Amino acid sequence: MTLRTSSRRRTRLAAVALGVSALMLGATACSSGGGAPSGSATLWGLTGTDEDTVLGPSLKEWNGANADGQVAATYFQNDAYKTKIRTAVGAGSAPTIIYSWAGGTLNSYVDAGKVADITSETADAKGKFLESVWNQGVIDDKVYAVPMNATTPIMFYYNKDVLKAAGVEVPTNFDEIVDAIPKLKAAGVAPFSLAGASKWPSLMWEEYLVDRVAGPEAFNKIMAGEADAWSDPGIIEANEKIQELVKAGAFVDGYASVTADSNADVALLYTGKAAMMLQGAWVMTTFKQQAAEFAEKGLGYTTFPAVTGGKGDPSNIVGNPSGYFSISASATKEQKASALKYLTEGVFDKGYIDRMVEAGQVPPITGIDDQIADAGGDFGTTVYDLTKNAKNFQMSWDQALPPAQATALLTNLDQLFNLQITPQEFSDNMNKTIGQ
């Protein structure tokens, strides 16, 4: 599936004025001497895993072997990057290689003519990527971005011991979720952990239930800017199911004050205070760091249960397919050539893939099943198989949607979970944001 909206898309970049903390690669990203040599491509990335595990080592090797195709990198903290790149792209002074999360951001770049069409240049590279991830960089059958880091779908986690003690099997459909609630509450545990104070974890429930009930077509209509698209009967039914769960006590008491940034929702699961949780694949790192024995023996994981009679394929997943690299339309011919060479030959070469797998990440690359399994990765294998077999991989809505809709979505979703508005009112409110 390729994504395209009928209305102009503005970038989904938060205007949070945080101090910029940039770390230059120096000589490892440039030729010897001061700045980047003439014709070098420039790249802005994120500090942390991308810098330390993925891009930093990759660019050190690449620049050492490609004197005529150098890539100079600068790294920023996440929120600082969002502010910096928005200003740079708007002013026509973006780096040669632009990092984004695709979705509404990439659409806005394409509509404004800020990124280059790289369809023909990446044709040979396409086959090495998992299709559900590659397609996020395709707009109107043209390639504007290529994947550059791990795939992280939203996973259905559960505490094996808690479920066993309560006599509850892992739910495989929504009815089984509902049936499990009174059994788990009688056992003195919360059926689900939820970081409601952070709002975006609640969106995971919305995304999966809308997919399972209405199918991906419902959200595609929203992205296409169709009038009253939020009034799709499947969306309203999905939100009725959410409020059914809330009223039945499915979520931990005080979920509206639980935060994800502090990993409080994760702690509720591994301490046995909650039985199940929806969260991204990225929290496996937290489980291993904070509760290593639980992560190895007591933690279970799967995909979201089916909804009987729903239109969505049970193989569909939601989450973050990958980060993406585009090439600035304002770069020089020499810079574009250097960037294209790195994007097609350096990104996800053998060393790139090996380092990611060793770090416990799942590259969105075909044919690495054995490598992920050999790395000790039952979890990695599960994530890889889900991504590989997904009929549809829906990018997180707050990244896919333009800013006004994304902000309104989280606000209205918070009100929905707190029973302050009805499913119909949710749809009515969100219909007003279409086209903003």
Side-chain angles (χ1 to χ4, degrees), residues 13 44 81-90 94-95 98-99 109:
L13 300 171
W44 290 358
Y81 172 78
K82 291 178 179 179
T83 303
K84 184 82 172 177
I85 193 65
R86 182 186 65 169
T87 302
V89 170
I98 300 173
Y99 175 96
Y109 291 166

Side-chain angles (χ1 to χ4, degrees), residues 211-225:
D211 174 86
R212 296 295 190 260
V213 175
E217 295 77 16
F219 187 70
N220 290 345
K221 292 178 181 178
I222 292 168
M223 287 298 296

Side-chain angles (χ1 to χ4, degrees), residues 357 361-363 367-382 384-385:
V357 173
Q361 300 181 48
V362 179
I368 57 172
D369 309 65
D370 291 343
Q371 184 176 359
I372 291 175
D374 290 344
D378 179 67
F379 180 75
T381 295
T382 300
Y384 185 71
D385 287 346

Side-chain angles (χ1 to χ4, degrees), residues 336-420:
K336 289 180 180 177
S338 296
L340 276 167
K341 187 176 181 182
Y342 178 62
L343 263 57
T344 55
E345 299 178 23
V347 174
F348 288 115
D349 64 9
K350 185 179 185 303
Y352 200 104
I353 294 169
D354 289 349
R355 285 186 294 269
M356 290 182 69
V357 173
E358 289 169 6
Q361 300 181 48
V362 179
I365 299 297
T366 60
I368 57 172
D369 309 65
D370 291 343
Q371 184 176 359
I372 291 175
D374 290 344
D378 179 67
F379 180 75
T381 295
T382 300
V383 171
Y384 185 71
D385 287 346
L386 287 174
T387 305
K388 179 174 63 175
N389 298 323
K391 292 224 172 20
N392 188 71
F393 193 158
Q394 174 56 56
M395 177 177 292
S396 296
W397 291 4
D398 57 342
Q399 293 180 6
L401 288 168
Q405 287 194 61
T407 300
L409 172 61
L410 294 179
T411 298
N412 280 279
L413 196 60
D414 183 55
Q415 294 173 340
L416 184 82
F417 267 81
N418 287 292
L419 305 180
Q420 295 169 338

Side-chain angles (χ1 to χ4, degrees), residues 154-159 191-195 205 264-269 274-280 283 287 299-300:
I154 305 305
M155 306 292 288
F156 188 97
Y157 296 97
Y158 55 92
N159 186 313
F192 287 95
S193 176
L194 176 66
W205 283 91
D265 54 343
V266 175
L268 286 168
L269 191 72
M276 298 170 283
M277 177 182 71
L278 269 188
Q279 253 296 0
V283 300
F287 280 122
L299 178 63

Side-chain angles (χ1 to χ4, degrees), residues 136-173:
Q136 302 294 331
V138 179
I139 297 174
D140 281 348
D141 297 323
K142 295 180 180 179
V143 179
Y144 291 95
V146 298
M148 56 70 59
N149 64 9
T151 183
T152 50
I154 305 305
M155 306 292 288
F156 188 97
Y157 296 97
Y158 55 92
N159 186 313
K160 296 177 183 178
D161 293 336
V162 168
L163 289 183
K164 183 177 180 180
V168 173
E169 298 290 332
V170 180
T172 60
N173 60 56

